[in-house]
Amino acid sequence: MSEPSPRQVLYALVAAGCLALVAVLVVGGAVAGLVPPWWSVVMAVGLLLIAIWSGFNWRRTAPVLLISIGLLVIWMIGTLIVAI
């Protein structure tokens, strides 16, 4: 296996930062009572699965970035829909 390029490392860090942001938003929404508990559980499970998958596939920059940014968009739209 070859060494990762600097671009791969940068994109992996950007994707990890996006996932960390989603984690903070999921916890914050749950603690503030902004969303129903089932939404927080669904998002937490999805976040965990995506984080595990991204950890194993971090060199595949395009799918990892698309999925991490897509999760942020899903959280945002879903939270607007289910917000109390």
Side-chain angles (χ1 to χ4, degrees):
M1 183 168 266
S2 64
E3 277 194 41
S5 70
R7 182 174 294 189
Q8 285 177 313
V9 174
L10 174 65
Y11 289 170
L13 289 173
V14 169
C18 190
L19 291 177
L21 173 66
V22 172
V24 168
L25 291 171
V26 167
V27 171
V31 170
L34 179 66
V35 293
W38 65 267
W39 177 248
S40 297
V41 171
V42 167
M43 287 303 301
V45 169
L47 176 66
L48 180 64
L49 293 174
I50 289 172
I52 290 170
W53 181 85
S54 296
F56 285 115
N57 296 293
W58 66 272
R59 290 179 185 243
R60 298 175 56 201
T61 56
V64 170
L65 275 172
L66 286 174
I67 289 173
S68 63
I69 293 170
L71 185 65
L72 176 62
V73 171
I74 289 169
W75 177 88
M76 187 172 41
I77 292 170
T79 299
L80 287 172
I81 291 171
V82 301
I84 296 173

